[in-house]
Amino acid sequence: MINLKADLLHFQYEDIFAYINKRNNYANIGADQMIRKGKKSSILKAISSATFAFIRHYFLRLGFLDGRAGFVIAIIQSQYSFNKYLFATYR
């Protein structure tokens, strides 16, 4: 076993813009999968899904304990969910 002398920091994304772009790409792929499976979407579904995604990530998964970062992640997850259903609605 190797002991490190310092913390090992691992960043999955270069910056927040790369993270948002990646999430939008995943939303696009998710919308395509929904359409292929014959699932219907609507603006109301997009809004309700986004709202629940925020609640799930910020409150149920305790994102509020991470301060600003937890809030931003919950917002980005909410945006991902909204975009997925929105993209599926307008295809």
Side-chain angles (χ1 to χ4, degrees), residues 1-88:
M1 175 177 238
I2 299 173
N3 290 325
L4 299 176
K5 295 179 183 178
D7 292 337
L8 177 63
L9 302 177
H10 173 71
F11 299 103
Q12 290 182 317
Y13 301 98
E14 184 177 322
D15 57 25
I16 194 167
F17 303 108
Y19 181 59
I20 291 171
N21 285 334
K22 183 68 112 175
R23 299 305 295 165
N24 281 336
N25 186 43
Y26 288 151
N28 191 33
I29 292 168
D32 287 343
Q33 290 175 344
M34 285 177 57
I35 291 167
R36 273 190 254 118
K37 290 179 181 179
K39 293 185 177 180
K40 300 282 184 179
S41 184
S42 68
I43 294 295
L44 184 60
K45 178 79 172 170
I47 292 169
S48 62
S49 177
T51 302
F52 183 71
F54 179 83
I55 292 168
R56 181 176 57 243
H57 286 278
Y58 195 66
F59 296 108
L60 301 179
R61 293 191 177 171
L62 307 178
F64 62 88
L65 295 176
D66 293 325
R68 183 186 303 161
F71 180 76
V72 169
I73 289 170
I75 291 291
I76 292 171
Q77 293 300 109
S78 177
Q79 178 190 22
Y80 157 77
S81 185
F82 179 82
N83 287 346
K84 181 174 77 170
Y85 287 96
L86 183 71
F87 295 165

